[in-house]
Amino acid sequence: MTADTSSAAPPTAARPQIPLVLGAVLLIYLGQMTLNPIIAPLSREVGLAEWQVGVTISAAALMIVLTSQFWGRRSQSWGRKPVLAAAFALAIVTMILFAWLAWLGMTGAITGVALFLLFVLFRGIGFGAAISAVPPTAQAYIADVTTDETARVKGMAGVGAVQGIAMVGGSVIGGLLSAFGLITPLIAVPVLLLPGLVLIAVRLRREPRHELIQTPARVGPFDPRVWPFLLAGFGMFTALGFIQVITGFIVQDRLGLDAQATGLVTGGALLAAGVGMILAQAVIVPRSGWAPPTLLRVGGAIAFGGFLLLILDSGPVPLFAAILLIGLGLGIAMPGYTAGPTLLVTREEQGGLAGLLSATTGLTFVIAPTAGTALYGVWAPLPVTTGAVIMAVITVFVFVHPRFQRLPANSDGTSIEA
């Protein structure tokens, strides 16, 4: 069945609050990205092994897998405001507890298994459950208030663009604040999230009851309309997951840095990825006019080139260039992954689909970070090489699968060319 995309618009004349919803995405990801530059050196400071960091990140991803569809459908039945407010409140509480735990670990008050389990509880389960509510809520909202392919792609690119801005901002904040001690960025995270909670509570409109969908429809992962997009996204984010957590280890080991310098330089590397993502989703995607399949093809090919370059251990410049290319390529591909299937389902299915897209992305980080850190312990280039192979396979897939040759017709009768 092909959805008539005109049915995606809710029956309301109220001005869409897309910028406000994107602001919520920005702030929640800014909190997450602020942690990324310091998670590797922090783990070594408190005595955790690389694989324990991987398990912590995988626990967060598992929460995204388990709860994204729930949040996506609840955003249509409860409304966006209560879902986003609950997510921010949970994120603030868990990050305060995580900062306190890190301080106890650095002072030696908590060590060993207890420290590891609490890392998983606060950073993994708690914060993961909070983050899992925000992207599907934002994506379902954008799908709800846009009625054509161009607006849909631009809206979904906006989600990716603010994630890229968060990556840049978080890299700068986390990297710079780490110069004052690794605990400082952890304290900053709940401070960053609090304005988001206030903004949602004060400014975000609550939908009238007649605009809510009391029984949002489920979308299965093997639905023929969406599974090729899910597979493409799964592969791309799996490749990314193999390197995301180990970036700090790569920086520290290849460049021979101490813990605080690693936080600063890793922040710079993640800044390069964020710049690539912003360039892709704020400039290239909106101006290109490319359909979702073309975005997936071009983005996949560019990201594959970045993975090949990252395999080489040839100094800081190629390392930063490789991460920039990966961010640029995935930044181009992401709107194709998120917007493409929304053009094929009904309004009642948008919340379930948004949750499914987020769950698919989260699923990649259940296995990939743990596998990546484990493989890094065996041989440093192995996780990067594995990511390159996966990216190559997915890029070929989006070039040859029939779903990406021609999407079904728009509501105005024109075909969506790949």
Side-chain angles (χ1 to χ4, degrees):
M1 172 183 174
T2 300
D4 181 345
T5 54
S6 64
S7 67
T12 179
R15 184 182 180 88
Q17 292 185 291
I18 292 178
L20 184 56
V21 173
L22 292 180
V25 178
L26 172 65
L27 287 173
I28 199 77
Y29 275 93
L30 188 63
Q32 181 190 30
M33 297 302 175
T34 298
L35 298 177
N36 283 351
I38 57 99
I39 195 67
L42 175 65
S43 68
R44 287 177 171 172
E45 284 291 301
V46 300
L48 295 181
E50 288 91 342
W51 70 267
Q52 291 175 311
V53 178
V55 170
T56 301
I57 303 303
S58 294
L62 181 60
M63 292 305 299
I64 293 174
V65 173
L66 295 177
T67 62
S68 286
Q69 285 223 49
F70 169 83
W71 288 124
R73 293 194 300 272
R74 294 294 80 74
S75 75
Q76 289 191 298
S77 61
W78 295 351
R80 278 81 188 191
K81 185 169 184 170
V83 169
L84 291 176
F88 270 76
L90 178 60
I92 290 169
V93 170
T94 54
M95 282 300 96
I96 290 173
L97 293 173
F98 184 68
W100 174 63
L101 174 66
W103 177 77
L104 292 176
M106 294 174 72
T107 59
I110 298 181
T111 59
V113 175
L115 178 68
F116 169 54
L117 292 178
L118 289 173
F119 252 64
V120 172
L121 177 62
F122 296 148
R123 174 61 184 89
I125 296 174
F127 197 56
I131 289 179
S132 69
V134 179
T137 299
Q139 291 168 5
Y141 178 74
I142 290 169
D144 216 20
V145 299
T146 55
T147 59
D148 60 82
E149 179 200 10
T150 301
R152 187 74 51 81
V153 170
K154 286 184 178 180
M156 295 300 181
V159 176
V162 297
Q163 288 175 331
I165 293 171
M167 184 177 293
V168 171
S171 300
V172 172
I173 294 170
L176 290 179
L177 290 181
S178 67
F180 301 96
L182 296 178
I183 197 68
T184 309
L186 300 179
I187 297 172
V189 172
V191 175
L192 290 170
L193 294 175
L194 183 59
L197 179 59
V198 174
L199 191 67
I200 292 164
V202 173
R203 298 295 304 277
L204 187 62
R205 284 194 305 271
R206 184 75 181 264
E207 296 95 335
R209 183 175 296 275
H210 70 272
E211 290 185 14
L212 300 176
I213 298 173
Q214 296 304 315
T215 309
R218 291 178 177 269
V219 179
F222 301 107
D223 188 312
R225 297 170 296 174
V226 303
W227 77 258
F229 289 95
L230 297 179
L231 181 59
F234 178 82
M236 290 183 178
F237 284 106
T238 296
L240 175 63
F242 269 99
I243 66 164
Q244 191 172 54
V245 177
I246 66 167
T247 298
F249 299 128
I250 292 175
V251 167
Q252 186 168 27
D253 295 339
R254 289 188 183 182
L255 305 182
L257 304 175
D258 61 23
Q260 287 195 345
T262 297
L264 185 62
V265 177
T266 302
L270 297 175
L271 174 64
V275 168
M277 189 172 291
I278 293 172
L279 178 63
Q281 300 193 346
V283 179
I284 295 175
V285 172
R287 295 187 180 184
S288 68
W290 290 334
T294 303
L295 294 172
L296 285 165
R297 293 171 186 160
V298 174
I302 293 173
F304 173 61
F307 274 91
L308 289 180
L309 184 59
L310 188 60
I311 294 174
L312 304 175
D313 182 1
S314 51
V317 174
L319 190 155
F320 275 64
I323 293 175
L324 174 66
L325 283 175
I326 292 171
L328 179 67
L330 292 178
I332 293 173
M334 281 171 56
Y337 163 64
T338 54
T342 69
L343 297 165
L344 307 176
V345 302
T346 65
R347 183 182 177 229
E348 291 73 17
E349 294 174 304
Q350 295 292 349
L353 173 63
L356 185 60
L357 292 170
S358 293
T360 300
T361 303
L363 182 61
T364 65
F365 289 95
V366 174
I367 300 172
T370 301
T373 50
L375 291 176
Y376 188 82
V378 175
W379 183 48
L382 190 55
V384 183
T385 304
T386 303
V389 171
I390 294 171
M391 185 61 66
V393 171
I394 292 300
T395 302
V396 172
F397 172 72
V398 298
F399 268 95
V400 302
H401 192 276
R403 168 55 74 198
F404 303 104
Q405 306 306 314
R406 181 189 297 268
L407 294 183
N410 278 318
S411 57
D412 62 3
T414 60
S415 63
I416 303 172
E417 297 291 345

